[in-house]
Every structure is written in C-alpha cells, then in structure tokens.
C-alpha cells in the first residue's frame, strides 16, 4: 500500500502553499505515491516550488507548476509550466563509509558550492539538494562522483538540465 511522504515544515508564514505531486512508487524504495512540496502562488492555478523533492523526479526548486484543487481540497500538480534551470540531486550517505550516516557531513561537502538542501529524517539521512543553475556544475558533478567512488554516499539526479548533462 502506498501513502504520502512525511510532511516537512518550511519557514512559518501564510504565503506558502502545499502542492502535491503524484507518482508511481519505485520498487524496493520508499512506499510513497505522493509528495507535498512548499510553493508560493504565482497565479490562480500556478505556483513556484520552494524546496527540493525527495521522491518526485522531473521537478526542481524554483520551477513553476500548474495545479488543480482536488475534491480532497489539496492542490495537485498537473505539470511544469516554467523550468527554473536548477537541478535536484539526492544523496544518501553510506552508513559504513568514511562519513558514516551523517547528513550534516554530506551538507558540509556541498556548502562550498552554494548548494542547500534538507534531510528526509533522522532515521533516513537522505538529503535532497537544489543545484542552482549558476553553480559550477563540473565541480559539483566531480564532487558527487568522487564521494560515490570513495564510499561516502550514493547519489541520484532527480531533475537535470541540458547544462548539467553537458557538464
């Protein structure tokens, strides 16, 4: 049985709305079939995403999405209408690797690139990062690949731009 991913808080304020994304759960991974992301309305049925997704592919912080309001009263994304140029990278630290299961150690390795993210939970130190469009993409990719090769973590790219792919 699938369920929504755990809810996460963003900074307090009435300007933020929650946009829900539906997807097919991956076999052998977390059993969720939806994820809520914080956003700021840009129109009556559009909003700019304000955090990186842990589970939903093809979306990055800063993207503008269209939504409909379901019979459940929730705002459900129906598609991306404007790409931000940002990328989404997810990193899971290797608990037996040199960094241990520390999400903070992962953050520390990426802070020099101006990359921010958030951690899924204390029990699952999966970190979702937003890689800004103006970041040093070759250096970020090299760090990610080095970390994986040296056993620090495993990573995946949930949303990539052409610039990311070419770097």
């Amino acid at each position: 049985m699938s369920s929504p991913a755990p809810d996460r808080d963003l900074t307090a304020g009435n300007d933020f709305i929650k946009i829900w994304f539906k997807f097919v759960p991956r076999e052998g991974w977390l059993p969720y079939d939806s994820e809520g992301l914080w956003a700021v309305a840009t129109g009556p049925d559009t909003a700019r995403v304000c955090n990186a997704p842990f589970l939903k592919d093809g979306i990055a912080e800063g993207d503008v999405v269209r939504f409909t309001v379901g019979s459940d009263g929730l705002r459900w994304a129906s598609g991306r209408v404007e790409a931000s140029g940002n990328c989404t990278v997810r990193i899971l630290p290797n608990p037996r690797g040199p960094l241990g299961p520390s999400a903070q150690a992962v953050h520390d390795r990426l802070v020099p690139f101006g990359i921010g993210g958030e951690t899924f939970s204390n029990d699952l130190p999966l970190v979702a990062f937003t890689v800004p469009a103006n970041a040093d993409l070759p250096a970020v990719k090299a760090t990610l690949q080095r970390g994986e090769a040296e056993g620090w973590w495993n990573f995946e790219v949930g949303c990539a731009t052409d610039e990311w792919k070419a770097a």
Side-chain angles (χ1 to χ4, degrees):
M1 174 174 185
S2 297
S3 62
D7 203 14
R8 296 175 304 279
D9 290 326
L10 196 61
T11 43
N14 294 331
D15 295 331
F16 292 104
I17 60 174
K18 185 69 69 124
I19 304 293
W20 289 90
F21 294 81
K22 199 89 163 123
F23 52 86
V24 175
R26 286 193 256 175
E27 179 126 1
W29 188 227
L30 298 171
Y32 307 119
D33 66 353
S34 63
E35 179 175 17
L37 298 176
W38 290 107
V40 173
T42 58
D45 64 346
T46 59
R48 185 171 309 280
V49 175
C50 294
N51 58 317
F54 286 100
L55 303 171
K56 174 68 177 146
D57 287 333
I59 294 292
E61 181 176 357
D63 289 357
V64 175
V65 297
R66 186 167 314 284
F67 65 86
T68 58
V69 179
S71 60
D72 52 10
L74 299 177
R75 295 173 186 93
W76 290 96
S78 58
R80 183 170 64 178
V81 295
E82 180 184 316
S84 62
N86 297 331
C87 298
T88 300
V89 174
R90 301 178 195 114
I91 302 174
L92 184 62
N94 180 348
R96 293 184 243 342
L99 304 180
S102 173
Q104 185 59 52
V106 173
H107 282 277
D108 293 346
R109 296 298 186 284
L110 295 172
V111 162
F113 301 106
I115 296 173
E118 62 183 297
T119 305
F120 190 80
S121 72
N122 288 334
D123 294 332
L124 180 63
L126 175 66
V127 185
F129 285 99
T130 297
V131 181
N134 62 355
D136 183 348
L137 300 181
V140 171
K141 283 178 90 170
T143 298
L144 292 170
Q145 292 164 348
R146 176 178 166 228
E148 192 163 74
E150 294 184 12
W152 299 351
W153 56 54
N154 291 303
F155 78 93
E156 68 177 14
V157 179
C159 185
T161 60
D162 289 341
E163 293 76 12
W164 173 269
K165 293 172 188 171

